[in-house]
Amino acid sequence: MKFPGSVLVSVSLFVAETVTALYISSTYRSAGDKIWQSLTLLFSLLPCVLVQISLIFIHRDLSRDRPLVLLLHLLQLGPLVRCIEVFFIYFTAGKVEEPYVSITRKKQLPKGGCSDEVEKELGQAERKLFTHRSAFSRASVIQAFLGSAPQVTLQLYICVMQRNITTSLCVFMSISLLSIVYGALRCNILAIKIKYDDYDISVKPVAYICIFLWRSFEIATRVIVLVLFSSVLQIWTLPLVLMNFIVFFFYPWILFWQSKCPFPENIEKALTRVGTTMVLCFLTFLYAGINMFCWSAVQLKLNDSDLINKSQNWYRMAVYYMVRFIENAALLLLWYSYRTEVYMYVCAPLVVLQLMVAYCLAVLFMLIFFYQFCHPCKKLFSTSISQGLLSCFKFLCYLCIPSKAPNKGDKFGAKLSDSSDISEHMSSSKTVEAQNGNPELGASSSP
């Protein structure tokens, strides 16, 4: 039985970020900054409420007689109680023989062209731990992109505008950034496990390191670009954020309406049609929040029973990163053009270069190191990343290198060579015909 380390990391980040957010809001209150205090509390308490609701929904506590657990969730202590319950199950597992054991069948990754099925026995304790891990993974994603991401953007914006940064703010932004990166990492692992649910998958530590570096460069670059743009063009910040949210929020719904499938009814039996609509709207809202800052490895598919697209869409990912790179470059160009005296002692071209290189490094860690070498299911890919990059490189070379048009001298030389070849061919054919058709000529010519 695996140690529930992911649960411990999720709860630790949740508690640390909440406590530091309350402390930072108290400092804003003492300084008289009511607006910063209100926004800090909003981005701290709103994800806390959403995390409590998600844990109650996943564990189906509303249909069970557990009033104490519901009360603790109302007091915002649900993750702590769940964590204690997880470690109690882990340390007491195996001491009592379980009366019921379920058997699961998983395929092994193909070796030599064939894959074998492996049967595993799952006890009740291990199934409970699996449910808790899944619930905390989803709670970490909610905490990361509906709380930590806007929080770290807000705090960095405050530091830039006030030209001051304290140690407590550094600690707070570091914890928030770690929370975002960890949430993005859980998105990647969740996508792998959903897409390859039939296989027995084990993610190596090197893969975790590659995902961590990839997401760190991508998210940090995106946050800094948004802060720089909003610091010089505040009036355009809200339209930019709304445009991103609207596009990614309605994109899954547009695909669903184009498919002309019936409205999904089998998400949860206890939910009505209105409740199902609210759940789907929340999922698409979370999906938009993730894509606002980084690529969501999990793609929504509302006309599927699992609500997840299990196919690997390389085209969609390539389009996302190309558009996001162009958008970041455009925002940095606007910041460079309209920068104020706040950035008087900052080398603006160097900042732009560093951010663009950091984003390219994120794509490098994603494509080369993760998908090419460290992906746990790279043997199941129909095409490798190296082949795709090589074909793209050949196509770009074909577009960039124009074919040379021949000049008059080349045309004249080509005509001369063609005429000489024709004359040589005619002379050789005449000689052969003469030797075959006139034997006397051949005999007379011989001594």
Side-chain angles (χ1 to χ4, degrees), residues 10 19 50 152 186 214 222 245-246 268 282 301 307 344 380 382 399 405 433:
S10 299
V19 171
L50 295 177
V152 71
R186 298 314 307 175
W214 157 27
R222 180 63 176 170
F245 258 94
I246 289 172
E268 182 65 32
F282 175 73
K301 189 177 182 181
L307 303 177
M344 185 183 300
L380 302 176
S382 58
L399 293 178
E433 288 177 358

Side-chain angles (χ1 to χ4, degrees), residues 278-299:
M278 292 177 63
V279 171
L280 293 178
C281 289
F282 175 73
L283 285 177
T284 50
F285 185 79
L286 178 61
Y287 176 77
I290 296 172
N291 283 279
M292 178 71 187
F293 291 91
C294 65
W295 164 252
S296 64
V298 179
Q299 299 299 309

Side-chain angles (χ1 to χ4, degrees), residues 195-213:
K195 292 176 183 178
Y196 306 100
D197 186 45
D198 298 333
Y199 291 89
D200 186 18
I201 300 171
S202 61
V203 184
K204 296 180 180 179
V206 181
Y208 282 108
I209 295 173
C210 287
I211 297 174
F212 183 83
L213 293 174

Side-chain angles (χ1 to χ4, degrees), residues 175-386:
I175 294 173
S176 298
L177 185 60
L178 282 176
S179 178
I180 307 170
V181 175
Y182 181 73
L185 187 146
R186 298 314 307 175
C187 277
N188 281 100
I189 303 302
L190 185 64
I192 293 172
K193 291 183 177 180
I194 290 176
K195 292 176 183 178
Y196 306 100
D197 186 45
D198 298 333
Y199 291 89
D200 186 18
I201 300 171
S202 61
V203 184
K204 296 180 180 179
V206 181
Y208 282 108
I209 295 173
C210 287
I211 297 174
F212 183 83
L213 293 174
W214 157 27
R215 294 303 195 177
S216 298
F217 282 113
E218 181 182 6
I219 294 169
T221 303
R222 180 63 176 170
V223 169
I224 295 174
V225 168
L226 290 176
V227 170
L228 292 177
F229 174 78
S230 60
S231 63
V232 295
L233 294 171
Q234 292 91 348
I235 193 173
W236 292 103
T237 304
L238 185 60
L240 176 69
V241 173
L242 288 178
M243 183 182 66
N244 276 271
F245 258 94
I246 289 172
V247 168
F248 288 109
F249 180 83
F250 285 105
Y251 180 70
W253 290 103
I254 292 173
L255 294 180
F256 172 68
W257 291 326
Q258 287 180 348
S259 65
K260 298 180 180 179
C261 292
F263 190 79
E265 302 281 353
N266 54 352
I267 297 177
E268 182 65 32
K269 294 180 179 179
L271 290 177
T272 61
R273 195 178 185 88
V274 177
T276 303
T277 306
M278 292 177 63
V279 171
L280 293 178
C281 289
F282 175 73
L283 285 177
T284 50
F285 185 79
L286 178 61
Y287 176 77
I290 296 172
N291 283 279
M292 178 71 187
F293 291 91
C294 65
W295 164 252
S296 64
V298 179
Q299 299 299 309
L300 290 181
K301 189 177 182 181
L302 301 181
N303 57 352
D304 191 84
S305 58
D306 295 330
L307 303 177
I308 299 296
N309 189 2
K310 296 184 179 181
S311 61
Q312 183 69 41
N313 198 328
W314 299 105
Y315 173 76
R316 188 179 299 176
M317 184 172 66
V319 170
Y320 174 85
Y321 275 100
M322 289 174 61
V323 173
R324 190 62 78 196
F325 182 84
I326 295 172
E327 183 190 4
N328 288 339
L331 295 180
L332 286 175
L333 181 62
L334 290 172
W335 168 78
Y336 183 80
S337 302
Y338 295 97
R339 67 187 187 276
T340 59
E341 66 276 1
V342 177
Y343 305 99
M344 185 183 300
Y345 301 102
V346 175
C347 183
L350 183 60
V351 171
V352 174
L353 179 63
Q354 288 176 342
L355 291 174
M356 289 291 97
V357 169
Y359 200 79
C360 293
L361 284 176
V363 178
L364 179 69
F365 275 107
M366 176 190 67
L367 291 179
I368 304 300
F369 294 101
F370 180 65
Y371 281 107
Q372 179 66 26
F373 298 109
C374 301
H375 197 283
C377 301
K378 61 180 182 292
K379 296 180 180 179
L380 302 176
F381 292 166
S382 58
T383 56
S384 64
I385 299 298
S386 58

Side-chain angles (χ1 to χ4, degrees), residues 55-113:
L55 291 177
I56 292 173
F57 179 78
I58 294 173
H59 289 281
R60 296 180 173 91
D61 288 327
L62 292 176
S63 59
R64 300 164 64 185
D65 189 14
R66 304 184 69 182
L68 179 60
V69 175
L70 293 176
L71 177 61
L72 291 173
H73 275 289
L74 290 176
L75 297 174
Q76 306 301 312
L77 298 176
L80 293 175
V81 176
R82 301 288 184 185
C83 183
I84 295 172
E85 184 180 356
V86 165
F87 280 95
F88 177 77
I89 295 171
Y90 177 76
F91 286 113
T92 57
K95 295 182 179 180
V96 180
E97 185 177 356
E98 297 183 358
Y100 178 75
V101 176
S102 61
I103 297 175
T104 60
R105 291 181 176 88
K106 294 285 186 180
K107 295 179 182 179
Q108 287 185 337
L109 293 177
K111 295 180 180 180

